[in-house]
């Protein structure tokens, strides 16, 4: 440790020893407060600051919910301040959210475009202010486009000409964007995403029109040439229409197969072909319909129709008649005054004439109804064909066993589907597809025998395998029975031989015992001492003990003998 550091520690310890308890407590409290303040400051400064997506508060609850829901779908945590401002964790997320909201047309109505880009205003010269503003707009647009998930890099150029006095002399605002898509992105083929980028540009630059925007990829291919993409859009539309027809055919096929397979089993109904021709054009139909006036409606519950209909109803009628007869003299007034007679009647003056005229007018009313409707996609024709196989049954002989052909296969009998069943199946299909008896629509139900060679070969192999297994099991069981019978016979014979051997030994033992007893008896009678071996003495003692025990406990001895016999 350096000398100055040891000296400093010694001075601090000496000073600490001179302080009173109160001074020490004050120093400790000040140190603790300072450390706590530093920790609190570090903690507060380390918290992420929230960035506003749009500076303007959103008052409409429906728009606010839509915006928050869309932000949550992007996986970004969004909060709403008490004032109604949507906040996200950082500026990168804010730029990404702004791009998504512009693309999805979720920006609240009346929002100032500059609030979206959050531009600051500089209080410097007009030229510098305009230059900085253009640079800021270009940079912010570039950041927004790069924030998209499908864009790896973007280069944005915005040209804003100087304002001219006359509108016809004003050059338009133009913008060009070069996009480098990320690997695996479909932004170059997705029209909706390209339109989103175009909306970002229009929303950011005032006065920018669609025709003055060029969006290209890194290879120079223009992506926003939507007029040139008409053929591609048409192909996309055709693909969608084909998918609609395919989905409808799949739906009908599933319905028909389910109803037929539940009736004829799934194995018999397997071939179902359905073809639907649809008219995908959009039509507007206007119809003027005239129908009679009902004078008396039909009586409810009556078996026949007693209503009265009128083709029309007279609402007014007028009749007028004119009759004239005379010489045709028409006075012209006092002499010297020109009359008011028209030249046509003047030529007929002093002529005899007769006129009769009758006019009759009827005002009739009829029921009129105008129908206006739009028709889009409609089914023009439906063709369905299905084949239903008959039933196969095994033939049996008089022993109720399957009949076997000379080719060593099971003999079967085919029963075709009755005509009534085919007609019923046809009716089911017609009701399922909404069959109309028009030219071109057909529903065909056939009964064609299906080739089941492989199925029959598999069934025959399984049957003969089962028969072979049963035969093997029967032979094994017979072998087990014979083996058990031999074992039982062997046990019986061995026990009988053992019993005979034991009887023979007992008889020999009895005879020897009789000889010994007779010898002893003779020796006692003659008074001759006969020397006996140790074994004979031991046998004599055991025999005497057994005789005595049998006399004293005959029941136990009998039980012991029975136990021996059972064990043998």
């Amino acid at each position: 440790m350096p000398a100055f550091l040891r000296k400093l520690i010694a001075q601090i310890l000496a000073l600490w020893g001179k302080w009173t308890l109160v001074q020490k407590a004050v120093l400790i409290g000040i140190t603790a407060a300072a450390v706590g303040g530093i920790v609190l400051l570090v903690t507060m400064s380390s918290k992420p600051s929230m960035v506003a997506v749009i500076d303007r508060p959103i008052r409409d609850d429906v728009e606010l919910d839509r915006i928050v829901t869309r932000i949550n779908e992007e996986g970004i945590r969004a909060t709403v301040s008490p004032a109604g401002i949507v906040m996200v964790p950082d500026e990168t997320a804010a730029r990404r959210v702004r791009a998504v909201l512009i693309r999805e047309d979720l920006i609240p109505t009346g929002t100032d475009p500059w609030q979206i880009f959050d531009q600051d205003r500089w209080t410097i010269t007009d030229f510098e202010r305009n230059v900085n503003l253009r640079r800021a707009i270009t940079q912010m647009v570039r950041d927004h486009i790069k924030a998209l998930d499908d864009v790896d890099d973007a280069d944005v150029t915005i040209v804003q000409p100087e304002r001219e006095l006359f509108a016809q002399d004003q050059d338009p605002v133009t913008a060009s964007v070069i996009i480098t898509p990320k690997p695996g992105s479909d932004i170059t083929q997705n029209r909706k995403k390209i339109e989103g980028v175009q909306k970002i540009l229009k929303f950011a630059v005032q006065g920018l029109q669609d025709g003055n925007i060029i969006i290209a990829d890194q290879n120079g291919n223009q992506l926003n040439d939507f007029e040139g993409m008409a053929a591609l859009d048409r192909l996309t539309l055709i693909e969608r229409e084909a998918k609609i027809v395919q989905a409808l055919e799949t739906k009908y096929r599933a319905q028909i197969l389910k109803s037929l397979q539940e009736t004829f089993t799934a194995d018999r109904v397997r071939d179902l072909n359905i073809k639907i021709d649809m008219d995908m054009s959009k039509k507007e139909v206007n119809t003027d319909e005239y129908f009679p006036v009902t004078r008396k409606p039909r009586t409810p519950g009556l078996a026949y129709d007693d209503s009265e209909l009128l083709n029309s109803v007279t609402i007014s009628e007028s009749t007028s008649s004119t009759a004239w007869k005379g010489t045709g003299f028409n006075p012209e007034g006092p002499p010297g005054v020109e009359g008011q007679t028209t030249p046509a009647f003047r030529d007929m003056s002093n002529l005899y004439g007769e006129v009769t005229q009758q006019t009759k007018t009827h005002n009739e009313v009829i029921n009129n109804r105008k129908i206006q409707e739009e028709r889009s996609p409609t089914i023009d024709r439906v063709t369905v064909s299905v084949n239903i196989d008959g039933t196969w049954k095994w033939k049996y002989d008089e022993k109720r066993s399957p009949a076997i052909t000379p080719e060593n296969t099971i003999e079967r009998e085919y029963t075709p589907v009755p005509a009534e069943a085919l007609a019923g199946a046809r009716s089911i299909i017609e009701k399922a597809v909404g069959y109309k008896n028009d030219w071109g629509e057909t529903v065909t139900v056939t009964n064609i025998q299906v080739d089941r060679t492989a199925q029959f070969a598999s069934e025959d192999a399984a049957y003969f395998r089962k028969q072979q297994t049963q035969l093997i099991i029967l032979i094994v069981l017979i072998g087990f029975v014979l083996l058990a019978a031999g074992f039982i016979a062997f046990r019986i014979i061995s026990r009988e031989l053992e019993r005979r051997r034991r009887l023979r030994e007992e008889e020999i033992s009895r005879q020897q015992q009789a000889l010994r007893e007779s010898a002893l008896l003779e020796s006692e009678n003659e008074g001759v001492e006969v020397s006996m071996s140790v074994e004979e003495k031991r046998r004599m003692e055991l025999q005497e003990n057994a005789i005595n025990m049998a006399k004293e406990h005959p029941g136990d001895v009998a039980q012991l003998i029975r136990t021996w016999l059972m064990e043998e």
Side-chain angles (χ1 to χ4, degrees):
M1 182 180 297
F4 74 92
L5 186 58
R6 289 197 299 269
K7 184 178 180 181
L8 179 61
I9 294 174
Q11 291 177 356
I12 293 174
L13 293 177
L15 185 61
W16 178 263
K18 295 178 181 180
W19 283 358
T20 62
L21 183 61
V22 176
Q23 292 176 336
K24 294 179 180 180
V26 170
L27 179 60
I28 293 174
I30 294 173
T31 305
V35 173
I38 294 172
V39 172
L40 182 61
L41 180 61
V42 172
T43 304
M44 295 298 293
S45 62
S46 63
K47 290 185 177 179
S49 58
M50 304 297 287
V51 178
V53 177
I54 302 174
D55 291 339
R56 188 177 70 86
I58 303 175
R59 305 299 182 186
D60 191 351
D61 294 337
V62 176
E63 290 184 351
L64 184 60
D65 291 340
R66 290 174 58 192
I67 291 173
V68 173
T69 302
R70 187 64 182 89
I71 295 173
N72 292 334
E73 290 178 358
E74 293 294 325
I76 300 174
R77 182 177 60 87
T79 59
V80 181
S81 65
I85 299 177
V86 180
M87 312 289 288
V88 293
D90 50 36
E91 184 63 29
T92 303
R95 287 196 297 267
R96 177 182 174 188
V97 169
R98 292 185 193 119
V100 172
L101 296 182
I102 293 173
R103 185 181 66 195
E104 302 291 338
D105 289 331
L106 295 178
I107 298 299
T109 306
T111 302
D112 188 0
W114 310 117
Q115 291 180 357
I116 293 297
F117 293 94
D118 194 16
Q119 297 293 333
D120 296 331
R121 299 296 186 260
W122 290 272
T123 57
I124 54 179
T125 63
D126 293 340
F127 177 78
E128 292 178 342
R129 183 186 299 111
N130 293 333
V131 170
N132 292 334
L133 180 60
R134 293 173 188 175
R135 292 176 58 190
I137 292 175
T138 303
Q139 183 62 34
M140 292 298 291
V141 171
R142 182 173 180 271
D143 292 341
H144 278 296
I145 296 176
K146 289 183 62 177
L148 299 176
D149 292 337
D150 300 287
V151 178
D152 190 19
D153 194 7
D155 188 5
V156 180
T157 301
I158 300 174
V159 178
Q160 292 180 323
E162 296 294 336
R163 187 179 299 274
E164 299 292 342
L165 180 60
F166 299 101
Q168 60 270 21
D169 298 334
Q170 182 67 45
D171 293 332
V173 181
T174 60
S176 63
V177 180
I178 298 177
I179 295 175
T180 303
K182 289 183 178 180
S185 173
D186 63 340
I187 189 172
T188 56
Q189 292 84 24
N190 195 321
R191 178 172 180 173
K192 185 176 181 181
K193 294 181 179 180
I194 298 299
E195 288 179 347
V197 175
Q198 188 165 304
K199 288 180 182 179
I200 292 176
L201 290 169
K202 291 176 60 179
F203 203 68
V205 182
Q206 184 178 7
L208 186 60
Q209 302 297 326
D210 293 340
N212 299 324
I213 300 175
I214 298 296
I215 302 176
D217 59 7
Q218 73 277 15
N219 298 321
N221 300 319
Q222 185 176 354
L223 304 179
N224 64 333
D225 184 13
F226 300 131
E227 294 181 358
M229 296 174 63
L232 181 60
D233 293 341
R234 184 173 181 274
L235 292 177
T236 303
L237 179 61
I238 292 174
E239 292 178 358
R240 293 180 180 178
E241 292 175 353
K243 289 181 180 179
I244 293 175
V245 174
Q246 184 179 2
L248 190 59
E249 291 176 350
T250 303
K251 176 183 176 182
Y252 282 166
R253 184 181 294 107
Q255 292 178 351
I256 297 172
L257 278 178
K258 181 179 180 181
S259 58
L260 293 180
Q261 288 177 352
E262 290 178 352
T263 304
F264 298 100
T265 71
D267 184 60
R268 295 173 57 192
V269 183
R270 294 180 292 180
D271 302 328
L272 175 62
N273 300 315
I274 182 169
K275 181 67 173 67
I276 298 178
D277 295 333
M278 296 187 67
D279 183 8
M280 294 294 180
S281 61
K282 187 176 181 180
K283 299 179 180 179
E284 183 175 346
V285 181
N286 297 323
T287 305
D288 290 340
E289 182 179 353
Y290 297 92
F291 55 95
V293 180
T294 302
R295 180 178 181 183
K296 176 180 176 298
R298 178 176 179 176
T299 303
L302 197 62
Y304 60 92
D305 187 4
D306 63 341
S307 62
E308 296 182 5
L309 303 177
L310 299 177
N311 292 331
S312 63
V313 176
T314 303
I315 59 174
S316 65
E317 181 178 357
S318 64
T319 304
S320 63
S321 61
T322 302
W324 175 78
K325 194 175 193 180
T327 60
F329 176 74
N330 187 9
E332 296 184 356
V337 178
E338 186 177 356
Q340 302 296 323
T341 305
T342 60
F345 284 98
R346 189 181 299 117
D347 294 339
M348 297 173 60
S349 177
N350 299 324
L351 296 177
Y352 178 82
E354 183 177 355
V355 177
T356 302
Q357 182 179 0
Q358 291 185 351
T359 304
K360 188 175 183 180
T361 304
H362 285 272
N363 292 325
E364 305 284 339
V365 65
I366 60 176
N367 283 334
N368 182 19
R369 180 167 51 206
K370 292 186 177 181
I371 302 174
Q372 183 176 0
E373 59 181 350
E374 291 185 357
R375 295 181 179 178
S376 164
T378 56
I379 298 177
D380 290 342
R381 185 179 65 174
V382 179
T383 57
V384 183
S385 65
V386 61
N387 180 49
I388 303 177
D389 191 15
T391 57
W392 290 88
K393 293 183 180 179
W394 289 5
K395 287 187 177 181
Y396 295 90
D397 53 15
E398 61 277 1
K399 297 181 180 179
R400 301 304 300 167
S401 297
I404 306 301
T405 62
E407 291 81 8
N408 198 24
T409 59
I410 299 175
E411 187 176 358
R412 295 173 175 84
E413 182 181 4
Y414 179 76
T415 303
V417 181
E420 296 81 4
L422 295 178
R426 177 185 174 89
S427 177
I428 291 174
I429 297 174
E430 291 177 352
K431 297 300 186 296
V433 301
Y435 173 77
K436 301 185 294 293
N437 192 13
D438 297 337
W439 182 87
E441 287 199 351
T442 57
V443 175
T444 305
V445 181
T446 59
N447 174 215
I448 301 175
Q449 182 176 339
V450 179
D451 184 11
R452 299 178 180 270
T453 304
Q455 178 183 348
F456 291 164
S458 176
E459 292 178 356
D460 294 347
Y463 174 76
F464 290 118
R465 191 183 306 111
K466 181 180 178 181
Q467 293 293 107
Q468 185 178 7
T469 303
Q470 292 178 353
L471 179 61
I472 293 174
I473 292 174
L474 181 61
I475 294 174
V476 171
L477 290 177
I478 292 175
F480 276 117
V481 170
L482 294 177
L483 182 61
F487 179 75
I488 293 172
F490 173 75
R491 289 290 296 175
I492 293 173
I493 294 172
S494 61
R495 287 189 176 184
E496 181 64 22
L497 294 176
E498 182 67 22
R499 187 181 66 81
R500 292 182 179 181
R501 184 184 62 78
R502 188 173 58 254
L503 291 177
R504 186 169 60 255
E505 290 177 354
E506 290 178 354
E507 180 64 23
I508 295 172
S509 178
R510 186 181 60 77
Q511 291 177 1
Q512 292 177 356
Q513 182 66 22
L515 291 175
R516 283 193 294 270
E517 290 178 355
S518 61
L520 289 174
L521 182 59
E522 290 178 358
S523 63
E524 288 178 357
N525 292 332
E526 295 178 358
V528 179
E529 294 182 359
V530 180
S531 61
M532 299 179 63
S533 63
V534 177
E535 294 179 358
E536 289 179 353
K537 291 181 179 180
R538 180 61 179 171
R539 182 184 296 275
M540 289 295 294
E541 292 177 358
L542 290 175
Q543 185 175 359
E544 290 177 0
N545 292 335
I547 294 172
N548 295 332
M549 184 175 292
K551 291 179 180 180
E552 295 176 358
H553 305 284
D556 296 339
V557 175
Q559 183 66 27
L560 179 60
I561 295 173
R562 281 196 296 269
T563 302
W564 286 347
L565 294 176
M566 291 177 63
E567 289 178 355
E568 294 295 333

